[in-house]
Each structure stands twice: as structure tokens, then as C-alpha cells.
Amino acid sequence: MKELVIDLEVEKTEILKRYRALLRASKSTLQKGDKRMIRKAFDMALESHKDMRRKSGEPYIYHPIAVAQIAAEEIGLGTTSIVCALLHDVVEDTDVTLDDIEQEFGKKVAKIIDGLTKISGVFDTNSSLQAENFRKMLLTLADDVRVILIKLADRLHNMRTMEFMPRDKQLKLSSETVYLYAPLAHRLGLYAIKSELEDLSMKYMERETYQFIKNKLNEKKAEREKFIRDFIEPVKKVLNGQGLDADLFGRPKSIHSIWNKMKKKSIPFEEVYDLFAIRVILDSTPENEKADCWKAYSIVTDLYRPNPDRLRDWISSPKANGYESLHTTVMGPRGQWVEVQIRTKRMNEIAEKGFAAHWKYKESSTDSGLDQWVQKVRDMLKNPDSNALEFLDDFKMNLFSDEIFIFTPKGALIQLPLNATALDFAFEIHTDVGASCIGAKVNHKLVPLSYKLQNGDQVEIITSSKQAPKEDWLNFVVTAKAKAKIKSALKEEKRRVAEDGKEILERKLKSLKITYNSENIHKLSYYFKLASTQDLFFNIAKGLIDMKDLKDYQQSEKVVENKPQDRIENEQLQGLLRNIKAKDSDMLMIGEDMKKID
Ligand code: MN
């Protein structure tokens, strides 16, 4: 085994070097007194982590410094976040308490650290607990988004320095990262971090494929670079000639996204045509940026023929995470499709750094897509009925999906995920509108509830006071909001019907001279193969179990009574176990009952 040689003097110099690099990275946001605050946080972190080392053998303090640097440099966060990043592992791993933090750095910092400490165990133990913890983590997001941003910086640094971890830990961290952290980064508009997280996860989870694609990319690197130069040159010339100050370059796609494309289209590496995109970054003024982008578009498409189906205008309608850009795909000089992304410097910074940069540029803080999204997360979390795992799935789905833009009859714009239906739209407008929706008019034509909306549709919802949410609605709604509202309405309705069924059953049992007690009720549920006594009452109320069925049961009971004693007990035990198991999959069982009604 290689022995670790530690030279404390050398380390001390290195720590200070890294600290100074952090200060340089945060320079642009520093105000009076900030430097002193950061120094204080650094000193506290250094002191409290002093006896700790990372798996690589390096001093532990390298980690919080690196996390703070990512927060400052790659996410664009300010002093409070840098202080919190430096201290993010202090409460969790050392003797320092939250009270100490509050005393030294104030309430705000203490609250963020508290959030970071609480979510540190998010992925421990079993999966449903993880989901519950993830839910808690998002609750802190609703409190202060900086908690999540620092958590992402923490995760990114851990992923970057994972080579010394045991293999099982690498796999665990990688799968969490690709399952949750990357989509979260995506949703917050941190594209660069999202891509890097995905690539790093793939590097550990799909080692061979990762290496294969990486090698392939290297092989043709020189050829690709020449192609990009040839493509860019004439464009740049005309742009400059028309007075546009533009920076053009080729942007390689991530290994993970190339792999995704290979899988999605079942094609070999050689057939993936868009290994890179051309980016046109314009230096423009706020008043001219939209016009300048379209001018650049016009120049690009004069030189290269565009594919009319591939024009995306996220300048007129930015994505909910703040992304603005003009995308087009054009036919390159060698008969090859090339994606071109046109945007201004301001838009580019938002695209790369996401949320934080977004804040920096925004004049008013009302009504941005991100605000609406955070509000949606809050609503979703408030729903006490939603089961944590389901919630996680719905949430993930909403993180990943692309958006479409739909208009109300009065012209208001509503954002929905791709594949959203008229019913999703109705629930988006208001819960009551969704619950009483019987149909919709899309662009003045009558359509069913399940109609899949297209970008730009104008939708009018038709309601009726006699309508109530139906089980099969769950088959075509896609938004978490609609799903949650329908489920809770169905649950409530079922509870109400079961209430009636209970009374009916009491009367019927009385006439059969069977005692109404909990033992008999459970026996009955088991006999009719139902998941719960509520299902039993429900089936009675709906007439799915009638007097004849109850008489059959009575008969079978008599037969059972003749059986040897221990066998009965065994059967009853089985029934009981079944009931317990079935309760967990409550929704599934309701689904089966409904089929019988059909
Ligand atoms: Mn950490």
C-alpha cells in the first residue's frame, strides 16, 4: 500500500492559495465588509475541519472552498451563499452548532445551513424514505432557493472528486445524481452544471460506453474543428459587415446527450449528426437585442438553407426557467444539418448560470416563469394526500418535460408540459374548473377532455355543475397538479359512498343474522378478495355485492367451520397479511374495482 506523505507546511500554502482563488472568483459581487465575512467563515471552517481528511487523503477544507468557488464562479451567487458554502458541512460533521453559526453570522446564514444539514441525509436508507426526504428538500427550496443551489455545488464537487470512493458508493452517488440532481439543475436553468453532472454520472455508471464515445469524439476532433471554422467564417463576415458585434464558436454536445440520442433513435455513433452546435453570441443593447437576434437569424439563413420545422423562438416566449435563445437547424456546406443557437451576451449568461444570473438582470421580480414554478412546487408540497413516491415521479416528469404555451380565450399565456391535455389546462386555470370540466373548445373547435394541446392553441373550457372527477381522467392528465386534485376528489367520493355502504351492510347482515363486528367485516373483505373494509362497503353501496353473495358467504363459512382449527387460523392470517400488503397499493386496488363497475 502506498504510504501517504503529508507535509503540513506545503498544505498550508496550498490552502491559502485556494482561498485566494475563491476571493478572486467572488470579486465581482463583493461589497464593503463582505471580505471580512468570508474570511470569518473560512477561519471557522478551517478550524473545525482541521483534523479531517477526504478519501483522497487531502485536507477536508479543500472541499468547502471548492464548493464556495463553484457557487461564486459557476452559479454566480453572492456573499451570503459563499459564506454558507464554506460552512455547509460544519454543523453536520463537527462540534459547531447552529446556535454558534447564528451568533457569528446571523439568522439568514443559520437558516440556510440548517436547510443544508437537514437534507444531507436525503438518500439514506430505503427508497420511499428517500422520496419523503427529497420532498423535505424541496420544501427548503420553497423557503430559500440558495439551499438547493449550494447543494448542487456540493454534489458537483463530490462527483468531480469521486475516484477515491469505493465502487458501490460511486454507483449510488451517480444514480442519485442523474435521477434527481441533474433534472433539478436543468429546471433551475443551470445547463452547464446539468451537463457536467450527467457526464460524470455516466462516466461511473457506463464506463465502457463513456470511454467509447469519448475516444470517437477525439478521433475526429481536428476534422470537426475545421468544419466549424469553414462554417463560421462567412457568417461572421456578413454579421460584422452589417454592424453586428458577434462572437461565434462551435459548442460540443455532452457525451451523455450523444449517448441518449444513440439510444433514443437506435443509431450508431457515426449517424449522430449534431455532435456540436454553432453558437452566435451578440453584444447588444437591451432595446435592440430581439431585433439583433432576428437580424442574425436572417443572415445565417441567407447563407445556409434552414429546416422550417426546426425553428425555436425562446426569445418571444422564454422557457419557464428563464432560458432565452433562437434555435434553428440549417443545411451546412457538406450536406449536413447543423444546429445554430443565436442569443445575446445577457441571454447567454442566463443560459449558462441560470437562476442567479437571471435575478441579476431582472428589473422586476414579479411573474417570471421561475416564480410560477416555485409556486407550483409549493402547491404540490402542500397537498397532504400525495404519496411521497408518486409525488417524486410526478415531480420528475414535470422537471424533464418540455413546455408548450397555451392561450386562454382572453389571450393570457399559460405554460404547460409537453403532452398536456385540455383537462390539464382546466386544472391549471382552477381546481373547480378542472373538476367540473366536460369538454373544451380548442381554436373554436369542440374537443374531448383528453385532447392533447399543441403549442399556441387557444383553449376555452366548458363546465357543468353535474360533472365530477372520473377515474379514467388519470390516464391522460400529465401535470402533477391535475393528478393530485383528481386523486383527492376520487378518494373523497369513495369515502362518501363507503359511508353509505356501511349502513346498508349493517342492515343486510342483521337480516341474515350475522353479527356486525370487526372480525366478521374482515372475514367478509377477505372472502370477496377486497383490499380493505372500505372497499367492501364501497362494493356493497354500488350493488356489486348483493344479498345472494352474502348468502353464499354465509354458506361457505359453515363449510369452513368444519375444517381443522389450525388451517382456519392459517387462512385468516393469510387474509390479514393480504390486507396489510394491499393497503400500500391503495390506488391500484381502486383501479381494479372501477374496472368491475365498467
Ligand atoms: Mn459537502
Side-chain angles (χ1 to χ4, degrees):
M1 209 172 132
K2 215 175 102 188
E3 205 184 318
L4 191 65
V5 188
I6 296 167
D7 184 330
L8 289 177
E9 277 312 305
V10 171
E11 274 184 359
K12 223 166 123 189
T13 319
E14 178 64 25
I15 292 170
L16 281 173
K17 202 176 122 201
R18 292 183 187 211
Y19 172 67
R20 278 196 292 269
L22 167 65
L23 281 184
R24 276 198 302 279
S26 40
K27 215 164 112 194
S28 65
T29 59
L30 288 188
Q31 287 175 349
K32 210 165 168 268
D34 285 356
K35 215 165 163 181
R36 206 174 45 83
M37 272 284 261
I38 295 176
R39 178 73 204 203
K40 203 159 95 176
F42 169 70
D43 286 342
M44 185 188 250
L46 185 63
E47 172 61 22
S48 48
H49 289 303
K50 69 173 186 283
D51 298 323
M52 296 165 64
R53 285 186 178 273
R54 304 201 80 207
K55 275 258 162 10
S56 58
E58 292 174 332
Y60 195 84
I61 189 73
Y62 286 5
H63 170 63
I65 295 177
V67 173
Q69 179 133 10
I70 292 170
E73 208 165 43
E74 295 175 52
I75 310 182
L77 294 172
T79 302
T80 306
S81 305
I82 294 168
V83 165
C84 292
L86 283 168
L87 297 170
H88 81 272
D89 278 331
V90 156
V91 173
E92 169 94 359
D93 297 338
T94 77
D95 294 335
V96 177
T97 65
L98 264 183
D99 285 340
D100 298 337
I101 302 265
E102 187 172 335
Q103 231 163 43
E104 294 293 321
F105 298 95
K107 268 214 166 69
K108 198 176 267 172
V109 170
K111 194 146 186 250
I112 295 176
I113 302 280
D114 186 31
L116 284 163
T117 308
K118 274 198 194 117
I119 61 181
S120 69
V122 163
F123 288 101
D124 291 342
T125 62
N126 68 60
S127 71
S128 93
L129 209 64
Q130 275 180 22
E132 194 49 51
N133 278 326
F134 185 67
R135 192 176 144 129
K136 278 191 205 135
M137 165 164 143
L138 291 168
L139 267 170
T140 65
L141 174 141
D143 264 0
D144 193 326
V145 181
R146 283 176 292 190
V147 174
I148 302 294
L149 294 173
I150 296 167
K151 188 72 200 163
L152 280 168
D154 180 29
R155 174 52 58 118
L156 181 59
H157 186 246
N158 283 334
M159 291 295 292
R160 280 177 183 170
T161 53
M162 206 161 58
E163 64 265 51
F164 296 101
M165 294 256 189
R167 179 82 180 132
D168 61 323
K169 198 95 191 269
Q170 288 174 343
L171 288 174
K172 184 168 173 281
L173 284 175
S174 298
S175 60
E176 290 166 13
T177 297
V178 81
Y179 188 67
L180 288 175
Y181 287 92
L184 204 51
H186 177 75
R187 196 58 191 75
L188 293 169
L190 299 155
Y191 287 97
I193 289 181
K194 173 223 170 206
S195 302
E196 190 179 346
L197 285 175
E198 282 174 345
D199 269 10
L200 285 166
S201 303
M202 187 186 166
K203 186 172 148 191
Y204 290 100
M205 291 168 83
E206 306 282 339
R207 287 194 278 203
E208 276 151 38
T209 320
Y210 180 86
Q211 208 48 50
F212 170 79
I213 297 178
K214 201 176 165 187
N215 293 342
K216 282 276 182 192
L217 282 172
N218 277 337
E219 269 172 34
K220 303 259 168 144
K221 199 169 176 206
E223 193 183 311
R224 210 164 45 243
E225 278 169 357
K226 175 159 186 340
F227 176 88
I228 291 170
R229 275 197 306 276
D230 292 348
F231 184 96
I232 284 175
E233 210 198 54
V235 181
K236 190 165 168 84
K237 226 174 172 173
V238 183
L239 283 172
N240 290 344
Q242 305 230 2
L244 287 170
D245 185 357
D247 199 10
L248 282 86
F249 53 91
R251 177 88 189 176
K253 292 244 156 122
S254 74
I255 294 180
H256 184 265
S257 67
I258 292 171
W259 181 51
N260 254 351
K261 191 149 236 180
M262 288 164 65
K263 279 192 301 188
K264 216 158 104 191
K265 300 199 163 173
S266 337
I267 51 174
F269 176 85
E270 283 72 19
E271 283 173 36
V272 179
Y273 71 88
D274 49 352
L275 298 174
F276 60 90
I278 300 287
R279 213 166 263 179
V280 181
I281 308 290
L282 299 162
D283 199 350
S284 180
T285 54
E287 318 84 72
N288 291 326
E289 52 179 5
K290 192 172 173 185
D292 283 350
C293 287
W294 282 105
K295 200 167 160 191
Y297 171 82
S298 156
I299 289 166
V300 170
T301 52
D302 274 348
L303 289 163
Y304 304 109
R305 190 166 58 79
N307 180 337
D309 296 335
R310 300 296 302 271
L311 173 63
R312 299 281 179 275
D313 172 13
W314 283 301
I315 291 180
S316 307
S317 315
K319 288 190 183 182
N321 62 15
Y323 185 82
E324 294 170 75
S325 192
L326 209 55
H327 290 195
T328 179
T329 301
V330 300
M331 184 60 82
R334 278 174 239 167
Q336 179 190 19
W337 290 113
V338 178
E339 183 179 308
V340 182
Q341 306 172 347
I342 301 164
R343 56 177 85 144
T344 62
K345 269 190 175 163
R346 180 192 65 83
M347 298 172 187
N348 193 49
E349 188 165 350
I350 289 174
E352 304 263 287
K353 290 186 183 171
F355 179 77
H358 193 55
W359 258 197
K360 205 160 80 190
Y361 283 107
K362 222 163 37 120
E363 305 101 66
S364 76
S365 64
T366 50
D367 224 31
S368 79
L370 199 72
D371 285 343
Q372 288 170 20
W373 181 70
V374 168
Q375 187 55 46
K376 245 181 237 174
V377 172
R378 260 185 218 136
D379 290 348
M380 226 189 293
L381 293 163
K382 260 193 247 146
N383 186 354
D385 283 344
S386 78
N387 154 313
L389 267 181
E390 271 171 36
F391 164 80
L392 193 61
D393 275 347
D394 288 350
F395 181 77
K396 238 195 79 176
M397 142 120 219
N398 281 300
L399 277 177
F400 267 126
S401 46
D402 278 328
E403 294 138 2
I404 52 174
F405 298 92
I406 306 299
F407 295 97
T408 66
K410 284 187 180 157
L413 195 65
I414 305 270
Q415 277 175 341
L416 287 168
L418 195 68
N419 294 325
T421 58
L423 189 57
D424 283 304
F425 176 84
F427 273 100
E428 204 57 39
I429 300 285
H430 194 277
T431 307
D432 296 340
V433 176
S436 56
C437 179
I438 53 169
K441 276 186 186 167
V442 170
N443 309 325
H444 307 294
K445 260 201 235 130
L446 210 57
V447 299
L449 296 179
S450 58
Y451 178 83
K452 268 192 194 161
L453 299 172
Q454 305 291 319
N455 218 348
D457 279 348
Q458 187 166 40
V459 184
E460 184 187 342
I461 295 297
I462 305 163
T463 59
S464 156
S465 57
K466 295 202 179 72
Q467 179 68 298
K470 304 279 185 294
E471 177 81 12
D472 76 316
W473 286 8
L474 290 170
N475 295 331
F476 55 81
V477 294
V478 301
T479 57
K481 183 176 182 182
K483 271 186 197 163
K485 297 293 181 193
I486 295 168
K487 279 176 191 168
S488 78
L490 288 172
K491 237 188 209 166
E492 177 52 31
E493 169 64 9
K494 189 173 176 191
R495 200 193 52 74
R496 210 182 46 73
V497 174
E499 211 53 28
D500 296 342
K502 192 173 168 185
E503 274 169 37
I504 300 170
L505 182 64
E506 266 189 80
R507 279 201 305 276
K508 289 195 166 158
L509 290 188
K510 204 169 172 190
S511 73
L512 288 171
K513 304 215 160 45
I514 301 175
T515 326
Y516 183 93
N517 60 21
S518 98
E519 192 196 339
N520 281 335
I521 298 303
H522 276 106
K523 273 190 197 165
L524 271 166
S525 307
Y526 175 55
Y527 174 81
F528 292 112
K529 301 193 167 43
L530 294 169
S532 66
T533 52
Q534 197 197 40
D535 284 348
L536 175 70
F537 300 147
F538 181 83
N539 278 284
I540 298 273
K542 288 281 179 185
L544 295 170
I545 296 173
D546 57 18
M547 207 54 187
K548 185 182 167 295
D549 296 323
L550 290 175
K551 277 180 187 154
D552 288 348
Y553 161 77
Q554 200 170 27
Q555 281 301 313
S556 79
E557 271 296 282
K558 285 193 180 115
V559 181
V560 172
E561 272 161 27
N562 294 331
K563 282 187 189 172
Q565 189 60 29
D566 63 335
R567 228 182 111 190
I568 299 171
E569 273 174 13
N570 191 28
E571 273 184 20
Q572 278 174 353
L573 188 68
Q574 292 284 335
L576 206 64
L577 279 175
R578 210 181 144 270
N579 276 330
I580 294 165
K581 270 196 212 145
K583 269 197 189 112
D584 281 333
S585 51
D586 208 17
M587 293 315 293
L588 196 74
M589 296 308 287
I590 294 175
E592 282 168 10
D593 290 342
M594 297 302 266
K595 259 180 218 131
K596 264 186 251 162
I597 297 169
D598 284 346

